[in-house]
Amino acid sequence: MGVITKLPQQVCDDCAATTNDRDAAPRCRACGGLLSLVHPPPEVRGAALRASFADACCARPSRTASGVWRFGAIVHPGAVDDAVSHPEGNTPLIGREAIGAWAGVDGLLLKHEGHNPTGSFKDRGMTVAVTQARRIGARAVACASTGNTSASLAAYAAQAGMTGLVFIPEGQVALGKLTQTLAYGARTLMIQGDFDACLRLVQEAGESLGVYLVNSINPFRLEGQKTIVLELLQQLDWDPPEWLVLPAGNLGNTAAFGKALEEAKAWGLITRVPRLVSVQAAGAAPFAAAFERGFDHLDTLTPETLATAIRIGAPASYDRAVRAIRGTDGLVLSCTDSEILEAKAVIDRAGVGCEPASAASVAGVRKLRAQGTIKEGDRVVAVLTGHILKDPGILQRMHVEDGPLSSNANRPILVAPTLAAIEAVLTSLDR
Ligand code: AN7
């Protein structure tokens, strides 16, 4: 096909030291900076490059079905033929009038990453990272996680026949994610600390124990997560929306989106870049606070939010995410837990559904539209990052218990086992 003939290198974000695409070091050996995969410019650009993705889709059975490996030439060209692929990706772009109406944006589109094999966007990065781990002969893969990364790691490690090791914060991982992780067979360490403590520990363990780290600072993870953007652009016939909105915690996805857009523009896949918006939970919003101060510095904090996926106070990909927001003339904002849960109730009741953190994107759209930042007629894509079943505990809180959201409550109705009792209920529900 001839799109790529030279392999990418890993390049340090801070000191520009380079290493090849098989180096297992989690950070730059020279200065400790984060590593990015830097691709040589593809030999074909624009329409020809766009067309090559369509070709790739049909070229080989292993790639046909994956919304990640279809873009393999600009993701991880050295590993395309040996991918550990479920497959993943190919998630829908969903429009629902009720959700658009609530957010105030006609034609609002939702890129629903909950449709991935383990129910979150993490599978897109994990297929690439675990493929890389196997390619370099790692003995095990490890991560710290608020839950979705661990579920994804567990599934892909199982498929690859590798040992998976996850570090999760005790009491702060939603039930669906914990059950998946255990069922897929990853060894699960419940740390008596928050996510930030888990991330510190797993990095120390990775270095001293020779375990390959697949947290979102892993450059191959970010390459896979780029395909959320590539795929949605492809679904829109490469005509970008004005706004692209996503929930943000550790900022890996914000960084990946920024890289995808920068490359897509440089290689002629698109001629205009959407404005990227990262939405944080108000109790875990160090990135939003830094944005307000013109990104002068990052103040880490002790996070608190019901949206446990983004309960993160010391985001690891901060510098990259700053670049992504600046490079796209983007914005960062935060929404309170009740705004997030209100958005979730609207998304759920439209029959779409998502986990709490995911609803932050739609809550953010509503806020930006209400303040006039998003203009009438602007096209907006919001990313839903995880599936509704990830966090059944929150559903119980929202729909069963009395609580701040009791006006939305949809409690189970206790009935006698008779047709008459059921008929009485039906009559009471007639609209
Ligand atoms: C549903 O699984 O950090 O800003 O360890 O699960 O790239 O961190 C999850 C993050 C948004 C935030 N939505 O993405 C983990 C983890 C959902 C998530 C995010 C996460 P980043």
Coordinates of all heavy atoms in Angstrom, one line a residue, residues 120-122 144-150 177 195 215-216 221 225 246-254 309-310 312 355 357-358 385-387, ligand 1:
S120 N -15.6 0.5 27.4 CA -15.1 1.9 27.4 C -14.0 2.1 26.3 O -13.6 1.2 25.7 CB -14.4 2.2 28.8 OG -13.1 1.7 28.8
F121 N -13.7 3.4 26.2 CA -12.7 3.8 25.1 C -11.3 3.2 25.4 O -10.5 3.2 24.5 CB -12.6 5.3 25.1 CG -11.9 5.9 26.2 CD1 -10.6 6.3 26.2 CD2 -12.6 6.3 27.4 CE1 -9.9 6.9 27.2 CE2 -11.9 6.9 28.5 CZ -10.6 7.2 28.4
K122 N -11.1 2.7 26.6 CA -9.8 2.2 27.0 C -9.3 1.1 26.0 O -8.1 0.9 25.9 CB -9.7 1.7 28.4 CG -10.2 2.8 29.4 CD -9.1 3.9 29.6 CE -9.5 4.9 30.6 NZ -8.6 6.0 30.8
A144 N -2.1 1.4 36.9 CA -3.0 1.9 37.9 C -4.3 2.3 37.2 O -4.2 2.7 36.1 CB -2.3 3.1 38.6
S145 N -5.4 2.3 38.0 CA -6.6 2.5 37.3 C -7.7 3.0 38.2 O -7.8 2.5 39.3 CB -7.1 1.3 36.5 OG -8.3 1.5 35.8
T146 N -8.6 3.8 37.7 CA -9.9 4.1 38.3 C -10.9 3.1 37.9 O -12.1 3.2 38.3 CB -10.4 5.5 38.0 OG1 -10.6 5.7 36.6 CG2 -9.4 6.6 38.5
G147 N -10.6 2.1 37.1 CA -11.4 1.0 36.8 C -11.5 0.5 35.4 O -11.4 -0.7 35.1
N148 N -11.7 1.5 34.5 CA -11.9 1.1 33.1 C -10.6 0.6 32.5 O -10.6 -0.4 31.7 CB -12.5 2.2 32.3 CG -14.0 2.3 32.4 OD1 -14.6 1.3 32.6 ND2 -14.5 3.6 32.4
T149 N -9.5 1.2 32.8 CA -8.2 0.7 32.3 C -7.9 -0.7 32.8 O -7.4 -1.5 32.0 CB -7.1 1.7 32.6 OG1 -7.4 3.0 32.2 CG2 -5.8 1.3 32.0
S150 N -8.2 -0.9 34.0 CA -8.0 -2.3 34.6 C -8.8 -3.3 33.9 O -8.3 -4.4 33.6 CB -8.1 -2.3 36.1 OG -9.4 -2.0 36.5
K177 N -16.7 -2.5 36.8 CA -15.3 -2.5 36.4 C -14.5 -3.5 37.2 O -13.6 -4.2 36.7 CB -14.7 -1.1 36.5 CG -15.5 0.0 35.8 CD -15.0 1.4 36.1 CE -16.0 2.4 35.5 NZ -15.6 3.8 35.7
F195 N -6.3 7.1 43.4 CA -5.7 6.7 42.1 C -4.3 7.2 42.0 O -3.4 6.6 41.5 CB -6.5 7.3 41.0 CG -5.9 7.2 39.6 CD1 -5.8 6.0 38.9 CD2 -5.2 8.3 39.1 CE1 -5.2 5.9 37.7 CE2 -4.5 8.2 37.9 CZ -4.5 7.0 37.2
N215 N -0.2 2.3 31.4 CA -1.0 3.5 31.8 C -1.0 4.4 30.6 O -0.3 4.3 29.7 CB -0.4 4.2 33.0 CG -1.1 3.6 34.3 OD1 -0.5 2.8 35.0 ND2 -2.3 4.0 34.5
S216 N -1.9 5.5 30.8 CA -2.1 6.3 29.6 C -0.9 7.2 29.3 O -0.9 7.9 28.3 CB -3.4 7.1 29.7 OG -3.2 8.1 30.8
R221 N -0.5 3.5 24.0 CA -1.9 3.7 24.4 C -2.5 4.9 23.7 O -3.6 4.9 23.1 CB -2.0 3.9 25.9 CG -2.0 2.7 26.8 CD -3.3 2.1 27.1 NE -4.4 3.1 27.4 CZ -4.6 3.5 28.7 NH1 -3.9 3.0 29.7 NH2 -5.6 4.4 28.9
Q225 N -5.8 5.5 21.2 CA -6.9 6.4 21.5 C -7.1 7.5 20.5 O -8.2 8.1 20.4 CB -6.7 6.9 22.9 CG -7.0 5.8 24.0 CD -6.7 6.2 25.4 OE1 -6.3 5.3 26.2 NE2 -6.7 7.5 25.8
L246 N -15.0 16.2 25.5 CA -14.8 14.9 26.1 C -14.6 15.1 27.6 O -14.1 16.1 28.1 CB -13.6 14.2 25.5 CG -12.1 14.6 25.9 CD1 -11.1 13.6 25.5 CD2 -11.8 15.9 25.3
P247 N -14.9 14.0 28.4 CA -14.6 14.1 29.8 C -13.1 13.9 30.1 O -12.4 13.2 29.3 CB -15.3 12.8 30.4 CG -16.1 12.2 29.3 CD -15.5 12.7 28.0
A248 N -12.6 14.5 31.2 CA -11.1 14.4 31.4 C -10.8 14.2 32.8 O -11.4 14.8 33.7 CB -10.5 15.7 30.9
G249 N -9.8 13.3 33.0 CA -9.3 13.0 34.4 C -7.8 13.0 34.4 O -7.2 14.0 34.7
N250 N -7.2 11.9 33.9 CA -5.7 11.8 33.9 C -5.2 12.5 32.7 O -4.0 12.6 32.5 CB -5.3 10.3 34.0 CG -4.0 10.1 34.6 OD1 -3.6 11.0 35.4 ND2 -3.4 9.0 34.3
L251 N -6.0 12.9 31.8 CA -5.7 13.7 30.6 C -5.1 13.0 29.4 O -4.6 13.6 28.5 CB -4.9 15.0 30.9 CG -5.6 15.9 32.0 CD1 -4.7 17.1 32.3 CD2 -7.0 16.3 31.6
G252 N -5.0 11.6 29.5 CA -4.5 10.9 28.4 C -5.3 11.0 27.2 O -4.7 11.2 26.1
N253 N -6.6 11.0 27.3 CA -7.4 11.1 26.1 C -7.4 12.5 25.5 O -7.3 12.6 24.3 CB -8.9 10.7 26.5 CG -9.5 9.8 25.5 OD1 -8.9 9.2 24.7 ND2 -10.8 9.8 25.5
T254 N -7.3 13.5 26.3 CA -7.2 14.9 25.8 C -5.9 15.0 25.0 O -5.9 15.5 23.9 CB -7.2 15.9 27.0 OG1 -8.4 15.8 27.7 CG2 -7.0 17.3 26.5
A309 N -14.6 7.4 37.7 CA -13.6 7.2 36.6 C -12.6 8.4 36.5 O -11.5 8.2 36.1 CB -14.4 7.1 35.3
I310 N -13.1 9.6 36.8 CA -12.3 10.8 36.7 C -12.0 11.4 38.1 O -11.8 12.6 38.2 CB -13.0 11.8 35.7 CG1 -14.4 12.1 36.1 CG2 -12.9 11.3 34.3 CD1 -15.1 13.2 35.3
I312 N -9.5 12.0 39.9 CA -8.0 12.1 39.8 C -7.5 13.5 40.1 O -8.1 14.5 39.5 CB -7.6 11.7 38.3 CG1 -8.0 10.2 38.1 CG2 -6.1 12.0 38.0 CD1 -7.9 9.8 36.6
E355 N -21.9 5.8 31.7 CA -21.5 5.9 33.1 C -21.4 7.4 33.5 O -21.3 8.2 32.6 CB -20.3 5.1 33.3 CG -19.0 5.7 32.7 CD -17.7 5.0 33.3 OE1 -17.4 5.4 34.4 OE2 -17.1 4.2 32.6
A357 N -19.1 9.5 34.6 CA -18.0 10.4 34.0 C -18.3 10.8 32.6 O -18.0 11.9 32.2 CB -16.6 9.6 34.1
S358 N -18.8 9.8 31.8 CA -19.1 10.1 30.4 C -20.1 11.3 30.2 O -20.0 12.0 29.3 CB -19.7 8.9 29.8 OG -18.9 7.7 30.0
T385 N -17.7 8.1 27.1 CA -16.5 7.3 27.3 C -16.7 5.9 27.8 O -15.9 5.0 27.6 CB -15.5 8.0 28.2 OG1 -16.2 8.5 29.3 CG2 -14.8 9.1 27.5
G386 N -17.9 5.7 28.5 CA -18.1 4.4 29.1 C -19.6 4.0 29.2 O -20.5 4.8 29.1
H387 N -19.8 2.7 29.3 CA -21.1 2.1 29.2 C -21.9 2.3 30.5 O -21.4 2.3 31.6 CB -20.9 0.5 29.0 CG -22.1 -0.2 28.5 ND1 -23.1 -0.6 29.4 CD2 -22.5 -0.5 27.3 CE1 -24.0 -1.2 28.7 NE2 -23.7 -1.2 27.4
Ligands
AN7_1 C1 -15.3 6.5 31.5 O1 -9.5 3.7 33.9 O2 -8.1 6.9 34.3 O3 -8.6 12.0 31.0 O4 -7.7 4.4 35.1 O5 -12.8 5.7 32.6 O6 -7.7 10.0 29.7 O7 -7.9 9.9 32.2 C2 -10.2 6.3 33.4 C3 -10.5 7.5 32.8 C4 -13.2 9.5 31.1 C5 -10.9 10.1 31.7 N1 -14.2 8.6 31.1 O8 -9.9 9.9 30.7 C6 -8.7 4.6 34.4 C7 -9.0 6.0 34.0 C8 -14.1 7.4 31.6 C9 -12.9 7.0 32.1 C10 -12.0 9.1 31.7 C11 -11.8 7.8 32.2 P1 -8.4 10.5 30.9

